[in-house]
Amino acid sequence: MRDQDVIRRPLITEKATVFGESGIFAFEVARDANKIQVKKAVESQFKRRVKEVRVVRMHGKTRRQGRFVGRRPDWKKAYVRLVDGEKPIEFFEGA
């Protein structure tokens, strides 16, 4: 898997913004990506050194429209902690 395919998008939520102040950033990543691939992708794309990666599998929500029931797909979230003294990632600056 290429580094460009591992990170889908940054997650900009209230929780991610609070974590960003302490050097932890959240990303939606590919479902089959592991911690090593996430670390390598962040270091190559954003030119930052990564200290730690935590991965969470998120279950897709059940949604309804009238009497029809559907389900969103499962996805994976990664919390990435940068090395102390490392500059923050630009995506999260304006949030």
Side-chain angles (χ1 to χ4, degrees), residues 2-3 6 16 25-26 30 32 37 40 44 52-53 56 62 67 70 73 77 81 85:
R2 298 180 328 181
D3 291 341
V6 173
F25 302 99
D32 56 345
Q37 291 170 330
K40 184 179 171 194
S44 67
E52 175 185 27
V53 176
V56 182
T62 302
R67 65 187 175 127
K77 180 183 347 184
R81 181 189 297 268

Side-chain angles (χ1 to χ4, degrees), residues 32-50:
D32 56 345
N34 59 31
K35 291 181 180 186
I36 298 167
Q37 291 170 330
V38 172
K39 179 178 179 177
K40 184 179 171 194
V42 171
E43 288 179 344
S44 67
Q45 287 184 7
F46 301 110
K47 307 292 189 263
R48 306 289 192 273
R49 291 179 300 152
V50 174

Side-chain angles (χ1 to χ4, degrees), residues 4-5 8 14 19 22 24 26 30 38 40 47 55 57 60-61 66 68 75 82 90:
Q4 294 84 5
D5 298 332
R8 297 277 167 85
E14 285 186 46
F19 279 161
S22 60
I24 301 172
V38 172
K40 184 179 171 194
K47 307 292 189 263
V55 178
R57 289 186 338 179
K61 295 179 178 181
F68 301 104
W75 55 289
L82 299 181
E90 291 82 23

